[in-house]
Amino acid sequence: MNKTCPFFGRCGGCKYDFAAPDYCEQKQSEINQFEFTDTPHWCPIGARWRGDFCFGGGWFGLFAQRSKDIVPVTSCPLMMPEINNILPMLARLPWVGAGSCLVTKCENGIDVCITSNIEYFTPEFKVAAEKLPVLRVVWNGKVVKQVEKPMIKFGDKILEYPPYAFLQPMPGEISGLRELVLSRASGAHKVADLFCGLGNFTFDLNADGFDIVGAGVKRDLFKNPLTVGMLTRYDCVVMDPPRAGAIEQCRELVKSDVKKIIYVSCNPQTFARDRDILLCGGYKITELVPVDQFVGSAHWELFSVFEK
């Protein structure tokens, strides 16, 4: 049994105590409105490879519950050790202004990307940042320090990691999402990977990737979803959209002949909306599995398969 986080109840990062004996029951109450085909995938503690921290008033840490006050945090039980090792050093930086600090464990080291309400970093901050044992430090898109380009790995594919780029909170191999997607897409002749990001699933699926940024074709799928004509070449579509969901793309999919849709959602509310569009359009949901990627929080990742 893991010990309760020393910040639980003060830090706003977690709604539920992951060490509580009834944690699973409490967390599942967030998604009782769904009928699942399998039991939840419970992810391990200490496996997050990225953390979004905050700073303000000279403090560094995480926001308190329902507050903009900052709880100083120099070690989080949910993070990988490599991230926790750097947090005390980040806390000692001469912070000015207020903003967020995205810390990511890449394949070859740590990346730090800062978004601040102050456009430029100070000379003092630059001197201190250059001493950090990290690959790169970026402030509002401006490189403060770079030893080498951070790299990220999906399966056997290693890619350059752009500043501020989206990643799942933990590697797909650890959460089980990667295995679920790849196994359910097995046997498809041609796959479209929509909202593909850097290519978490794209390369292993030998898929055509589409997104605003990332490894695939640059396309805003919110404004310009793949049309029925474009979808004719695919017998399987994988979608992993942001929290806003994929309403416009679902409206096109129901007019298509795509036989299988694998939908990974980080927002049960928009998933329910999009699910109803697909069901009304002739699809049947054959698999729905919750994944506790966001350990301790109220958030769930939902893995689903639709077929017709």
Side-chain angles (χ1 to χ4, degrees), residues 2-191:
N2 294 290
K3 292 182 179 179
T4 300
C5 174
F7 305 107
F8 182 73
R10 295 188 295 133
C11 164
C14 288
K15 179 178 179 180
Y16 301 107
D17 179 1
F18 57 77
D22 60 345
Y23 169 70
C24 296
E25 180 182 347
Q26 291 186 60
K27 181 73 184 271
Q28 283 183 256
S29 67
E30 298 283 347
I31 49 172
N32 281 340
Q33 71 271 33
F34 296 101
E35 293 184 11
F36 295 105
T37 59
D38 201 353
T39 56
H41 284 220
W42 300 103
C43 297
I45 307 302
R48 288 193 63 141
W49 63 349
R50 63 179 352 212
D52 203 355
F53 299 88
C54 59
F55 62 92
W59 294 99
F60 175 89
L62 291 166
F63 286 123
Q65 287 187 339
R66 300 180 180 86
S67 170
K68 290 298 183 182
D69 294 338
I70 294 176
V71 177
V73 173
T74 55
S75 181
C76 172
L78 301 180
M79 300 295 158
M80 287 184 169
E82 293 87 344
I83 291 182
N84 280 328
N85 289 342
I86 200 69
L87 292 184
M89 302 177 216
L90 293 176
R92 291 194 294 269
L93 289 175
W95 294 102
V96 292
S100 63
C101 179
L102 181 62
V103 185
T104 306
K105 177 193 174 295
C106 296
E107 189 69 17
N108 52 338
I110 296 293
D111 182 54
V112 178
C113 290
I114 298 157
T115 303
S116 174
N117 63 343
I118 294 179
E119 184 176 359
Y120 295 102
F121 50 86
T122 64
E124 293 78 14
F125 185 90
K126 179 174 176 61
V127 170
E130 287 177 340
K131 297 177 182 177
L132 292 173
V134 300
L135 298 172
R136 180 175 64 189
V137 179
V138 179
W139 180 289
N140 287 345
K142 302 174 181 67
V143 176
V144 182
K145 166 191 177 173
Q146 180 167 300
V147 177
E148 59 182 283
K149 293 180 179 179
M151 308 299 289
I152 204 76
K153 186 176 182 181
F154 299 124
D156 295 329
K157 189 76 173 181
I158 298 179
L159 305 166
E160 182 181 341
Y161 177 63
Y164 309 99
F166 170 78
L167 288 173
Q168 295 284 1
M170 60 181 63
E173 293 85 350
I174 292 177
S175 69
L177 269 176
R178 186 180 183 80
E179 179 184 344
L180 284 169
V181 171
L182 298 184
S183 63
R184 300 324 186 258
S186 177
H189 296 293
K190 190 62 179 174
V191 179

Side-chain angles (χ1 to χ4, degrees), residues 6 27 36 44 81 115-116 124 126 135 142 168 171 192 195 211 250 256 260 270 275 292 299 306:
K27 181 73 184 271
F36 295 105
T115 303
S116 174
E124 293 78 14
K126 179 174 176 61
L135 298 172
K142 302 174 181 67
Q168 295 284 1
F195 308 95
D211 208 344
C250 287
S256 77
K260 180 182 288 186
T270 55
R275 173 204 60 192
D292 186 24
H299 300 299
F306 295 83

